[in-house]
Amino acid sequence: MTYALDVDGVDKSFGGATILRGVAFAVESGSTTAIVGPSGCGKTTLLRLIAGFEKPDAGTIALAGRVVAGGGWVPAHRRSVGYVAQDGALFPHATVGANVGFGLPRRARTPARIAELLEMVSLDPSYAARRPDQLSGGQQQRVALARALAREPELMLLDEPFSALDAGLRAHTRRIVADVLAKAAITTILVTHDQPEALSFADRVAVMSAGRLAQIGTPREIYSTPIDVPTAQFIGDAVVLSAHVDGSRARCALGDVAVAANGVHGNARIMVRPEQIEVSTEGAGVSGTVVDVEYLGSEMLLGIRLDTADGDVPERVTVRRFGATTLTPGDRVGIRVLGRGVAYQA
Ligand code: ATP
């Protein structure tokens, strides 16, 4: 199979500091991949290598079956790759039309084509006459996308393009961008800090950690069966407890919890998501005491200290509950885990 992008064994250092180590993954044509990871783990560096702004020290990068770096070199402007940076990087003194036109070959730089590109990103063609500072942040990002689309790239790289936008505008801009790219069937890679954004935007999520690719999979796989505890904690809220695993059961402070049999045995740690923990006042399952209640509008976070046998270290868990609750600190509750947890060898 020919992949739209095939990154294999890529290493990159700057001034003796290793930034990327053995990064390998492949992306199918027309798919959307989100790259997430803590600040400084090398996400932007990886995008810049794919775009051709940097050269890898080792490994290869191939676009649609053609090696462009490592054992051959194709410069950035010869790769069919679009790049939208965090701040859009528009030319501030040029009009919107001129910014978009910059992406077009000279003979195709017509008002009609520029209007068409602006319409693609849901902007009125009359905006062509404005300067970038006469547009909102979300509109500017859409101009940057129109400029990148003008080159008709096979691969679009988006480096945190929504991060400077406020929550409402961010969701709106993200939907427009996702729609445009899906309609044009452009293979897309999005770097983001925002885990819910990664899970909702992409077909596949790649989690990076300290220059390595920790895990790549569907949003569901990454969220429900993260490869290790740091990945679990990075991609969402996680309740992690020590446990004793026997086959597909884990004994822990939350009681006897089902786990997917994955070879983990004996002393282990178990991870469940807060929304898997059901709290009731009936006292079913394991019991505990509410120690704090945090109000977040649509949901509440309940801190609960679990009852433990004398001598055991008391475990405290945070549970998410949608809607209002009348529970207050000091209330006694029963706790049950829904679905399966994930076990990790201790
Ligand atoms: P963030 O999420 O904060 O943008 P990131 O995961 O995108 O981070 P990179 O921008 O790839 O991380 O940077 C990874 C590391 O490489 C950082 O420590 C950075 O300082 C370093 N770095 C990046 N580019 C260069 C360069 N040209 N010269 C020297 N060091 C660099």
Side-chain angles (χ1 to χ4, degrees), residues 303-316:
I304 295 171
R305 194 177 54 239
L306 303 172
D307 295 345
T308 41
D310 280 349
D312 279 2
V313 183
E315 297 264 22
R316 182 190 181 288

Side-chain angles (χ1 to χ4, degrees), residues 13-15 17-20 37-48 54 86 159-160 191-193 208:
S13 304
F14 287 117
T18 303
I19 307 301
L20 296 176
S39 185
C41 71
K43 304 180 294 294
T44 296
T45 302
L46 180 58
L47 276 203
R48 292 177 56 79
E54 305 277 358
Q86 187 167 352
D159 192 357
E160 306 211 29
V191 161
T192 177
H193 261 110
M208 287 186 63

Side-chain angles (χ1 to χ4, degrees), residues 17-137:
T18 303
I19 307 301
L20 296 176
R21 235 180 281 227
V23 173
F25 68 104
V27 163
E28 283 180 24
S29 183
S31 67
T32 303
T33 305
I35 301 180
V36 295
S39 185
C41 71
K43 304 180 294 294
T44 296
T45 302
L46 180 58
L47 276 203
R48 292 177 56 79
L49 288 167
I50 296 167
F53 304 144
E54 305 277 358
K55 286 188 180 182
D57 300 336
T60 57
I61 298 172
L63 293 171
R66 180 169 71 138
V67 173
V68 294
W73 175 250
V74 176
H77 66 278
R78 292 262 167 78
R79 300 183 187 188
S80 185
V81 173
Y83 190 95
V84 179
Q86 187 167 352
D87 57 359
L90 296 177
F91 306 119
H93 303 297
T95 61
V96 165
N99 267 283
V100 173
F102 178 80
L104 290 167
R106 198 173 293 273
R107 61 190 149 60
R109 218 172 279 171
T110 62
R113 179 68 181 136
I114 289 168
E116 196 175 69
L117 285 159
L118 288 175
E119 278 176 343
M120 258 177 101
V121 295
S122 302
L123 287 176
D124 193 278
S126 67
Y127 285 16
R130 295 198 192 179
R131 276 201 327 271
D133 65 1
Q134 294 169 315
L135 300 182
S136 74

Side-chain angles (χ1 to χ4, degrees), residues 241-268:
L241 299 167
S242 48
H244 187 87
V245 175
D246 188 2
S248 59
R249 310 296 307 175
R251 248 185 309 112
C252 66
L254 287 171
D256 197 16
V257 176
V259 290
N262 61 356
V264 173
H265 191 78
N267 285 340

